[in-house]
Amino acid sequence: MTSPLPDTQVHNAFQDSLHAQIETLPPAWRSTLQAPHLQGIVARLDTMLAERLAAGARIFPLRPFRALIETPPESVQVVIVGQDPYHGPNQAQGLAFSVPDFCPTPPSLRNMFKELALEYGDPEQAPRNSLVRWARQGVLLLNTSLTVEAHQPASHAKKGWEHVTDALIMRVLREPRPKVLLLWGSHAQARRQLMDLQPPAGPVQVLMANHPSPLSALRPPRPFIGCGHFRQANDWLQAHGESGIDWLLAKVLAAAPGYGG
């Protein structure tokens, strides 16, 4: 595996406006984010980001809405909820838990691959760190905060992003397609209550375990290692007429038509 780009060569820093990026999204996501109750929140986030950039802060990722570009709501089979983007240069891609292939595997992602090996056996080749291949099969890899400042984890938590990303999850619940929510850790599990606010339009299976972080992956009450969630999700989806996810797929699939890569 090649080394990550040096800190002086940062290619994933945010430099646009949220409104400009929203205009490029698939129509269903765009209309969700342009709903009246979110317009003020998005405007305040845009102002906050502009002020922090003007103050010299470096913000990641380049495309905060990358997960929405790759996975329109009608395509979602699985939702995986993360917390906030990776805060090191050239790591965050706008997809929860995912980093470019040239980056070292983050600890939580390493445990996800370890769990996959327990469920499906060791893969013929090492899995790629970029999870774009999952996103393009219908896995919504959504952090609850979509931006972060360099080397400052959770720096944009409780700034308004949680209202935006909760609205995105609720939009997914309005789709009749069967789907699985993989909620790992207390932060993700708090999103379980959204089903009370937005009763699902179709069948939903909720699977909960500890976060895959090394700090909690093996701890009770619901250890992540050994949870069996990847296979359980597929078994449930296939029982409901869906294709399920090829979690071990090595290649990157084509992007959704018209929405770029």
Side-chain angles (χ1 to χ4, degrees), residues 142-164:
L142 189 68
N143 285 313
T144 51
S145 293
L146 298 187
T147 56
V148 71
E149 293 186 23
H151 310 300
Q152 297 185 50
S155 49
H156 289 180
K158 299 181 180 179
K159 303 288 188 183
W161 273 125
E162 292 83 356
H163 298 291
V164 173

Side-chain angles (χ1 to χ4, degrees), residues 4-15 53 56-63 86-92 100 102-103 148-151:
L5 295 170
D7 197 55
T8 55
Q9 299 179 29
V10 177
H11 298 301
N12 72 324
F14 179 78
Q15 52 192 309
L53 289 173
R58 193 160 50 186
I59 296 170
F60 305 128
L62 174 66
R63 292 184 288 173
Y86 296 112
H87 53 84
N90 301 307
Q91 291 181 307
F102 61 72
C103 286
V148 71
E149 293 186 23
H151 310 300

Side-chain angles (χ1 to χ4, degrees), residues 25-216:
L25 295 177
W29 287 133
R30 188 168 65 245
S31 63
T32 300
L33 293 174
Q34 292 174 339
H37 73 287
L38 289 182
Q39 287 182 355
I41 295 171
V42 172
R44 288 192 292 275
L45 283 166
D46 240 349
T47 298
M48 181 269 293
L49 294 172
E51 290 174 349
R52 294 303 300 140
L53 289 173
R58 193 160 50 186
I59 296 170
F60 305 128
L62 174 66
R63 292 184 288 173
F65 299 115
R66 174 74 182 275
L68 310 185
I69 294 172
E70 300 292 355
T71 317
E74 66 273 12
S75 299
V76 174
Q77 296 187 73
V78 176
V79 179
I80 296 179
V81 179
Q83 192 159 348
D84 65 342
Y86 296 112
H87 53 84
N90 301 307
Q91 291 181 307
Q93 297 178 295
L95 302 170
F97 295 103
S98 179
V99 296
D101 291 329
F102 61 72
C103 286
T105 309
S108 293
L109 185 58
R110 189 180 305 119
N111 276 338
M112 290 164 65
F113 292 156
K114 183 183 295 186
E115 175 59 27
L116 275 168
L118 287 175
E119 296 182 35
Y120 289 98
D122 291 325
E124 294 182 2
Q125 57 186 6
R128 301 178 61 168
N129 288 339
S130 173
L131 302 181
V132 172
R133 64 192 182 280
W134 291 3
R136 293 178 182 174
Q137 293 181 77
V139 182
L140 182 64
L141 296 161
L142 189 68
N143 285 313
T144 51
S145 293
L146 298 187
T147 56
V148 71
E149 293 186 23
H151 310 300
Q152 297 185 50
S155 49
H156 289 180
K158 299 181 180 179
K159 303 288 188 183
W161 273 125
E162 292 83 356
H163 298 291
V164 173
T165 49
D166 282 356
L168 296 172
I169 295 171
M170 292 170 71
R171 175 63 183 83
V172 170
L173 293 174
R174 295 206 301 270
E175 290 291 330
R177 187 171 190 172
K179 59 190 63 69
V180 177
L181 305 185
L182 297 182
L183 305 180
W184 300 330
S186 59
H187 186 84
Q189 288 161 17
R191 270 64 221 170
R192 175 76 173 76
Q193 65 185 351
L194 295 176
M195 295 178 63
D196 298 327
L197 300 174
Q198 177 64 66
V204 175
Q205 173 79 319
V206 179
L207 300 176
M208 297 192 291
N210 288 358
H211 194 277
S213 163
L215 296 174
S216 58

